[in-house]
Amino acid sequence: MIFTYNLQDERIKIPQKTTFKDHNILERKNIEKWVETYPEILGEELLILTTEFDKFDKTSERLDLLALDQDGNLVVIELKRDNTGRTAELQAIKYAAYCSTLNLDQVIDLHVDYLRRRGEQAEREHVKSKLIDFIQNTEFEEINDRPRIILLAMEYRPEVTASVFWLRKFGIDITCVKITPYINDETALTVESSIIIPIPDAKEYLIQVEKKELSEGSQSLSKQEYLEFYADLVSKLGDRIPDTYPKPLPRNYYTISSGLSNVHYEWIFRGRPRNAFSVELHFENSDKLLNQKQLVRLASLQKTLEERTGENVIITKEWGRKWAKISIEKKTGEMSEELRFWAVNNMIIFFEVFQPEIDRLKKSGL
């Protein structure tokens, strides 16, 4: 319930529920502009990337708004002024499918174009920094291929809500936001915005249940694969360089401390589905300048590392928001004996090439 309380006469007034149509509030001209200006209406902090996007391949369809959330996910926003009709969720799924191929560079370009259409100055490097700074997920590297969906409407037909509940069971992240207008007087509307799916009071619980249900099956197999794979690598590494190594966890990467704060070695699978494997040295201090200084010192060993490994060494000066890394990569996601040998042998080379210099960095206090 929405009500107002008068501080002078201490009376409560209940505003009358109305419709947007009755007050000539339009979907594109008004509601879209509200969300574009105040995306918090949708119940979370979002960065609007563009509006009325129609640059899809082989179709002229146009989505209302495209946004970025703080985990680095694309968010397709579909608006309906009145009720959703029977197929709003299907329409949004189509747009999400169209957007699923967008990478970070393309997202940067479309946001630059959006800002320039609004008459704003938009240099590409500045826009890139703006997007990366907005993302709070410290493991973010690239836009994934599973955009989220937010539906906004005054009324939801049961066909739509039933479909949304069913789709969420299969890992499709759809949020339904309801907006309800109330008339205060002749000059102002009060608009209530509320998330109805997932149910707010149970949101975190429901999301965890959905993730658990989704993980039971194929994902649990992947987790077991990672555990067994990294346990085998650690065993082989321990045979050649005895030490106490961390117990592997069911995830796609494994880290080994270098002894220098926030600098570590890492094995990691990349891609969805996985299609590459890397041996890496990470610089993950909260101080970007310190990461750069340490990288410069160790990047001087690039030629030596390439000679020892026979691989092209990749120097990534800006990774995530502040980090940096040095890596070599093998283009395969198959957990073969060949990959296991490659992973262990090259991790040992990383130790032998980098660790003496890392120890000197420790002594110098850098």
Side-chain angles (χ1 to χ4, degrees), residues 44 70 94 131 152 182 189 247 249 267 270 281 312-313 348 361 366:
E44 61 182 284
Q70 292 196 304
K94 281 196 299 182
L131 298 189
L152 178 74
Y182 297 86
L189 288 179
K247 183 179 179 181
L249 297 173
W267 283 310
R270 300 195 182 281
L281 179 65
N312 178 47
V313 172
I348 291 171
L361 286 176
L366 186 60

Side-chain angles (χ1 to χ4, degrees), residues 74-116:
L74 290 179
V75 183
V76 170
I77 302 168
E78 180 63 19
L79 310 176
K80 298 297 179 185
R81 183 186 69 168
D82 301 312
N83 73 63
T84 55
R86 296 179 178 177
T87 60
E89 80 288 6
L90 298 179
Q91 187 177 2
I93 287 171
K94 281 196 299 182
Y95 295 148
Y98 298 153
C99 292
S100 67
T101 60
L102 292 174
N103 59 36
L104 181 58
D105 284 336
Q106 291 170 315
V107 167
I108 292 167
D109 288 338
L110 68 88
H111 192 52
V112 167
D113 179 64
Y114 164 74
L115 293 174
R116 289 176 178 171

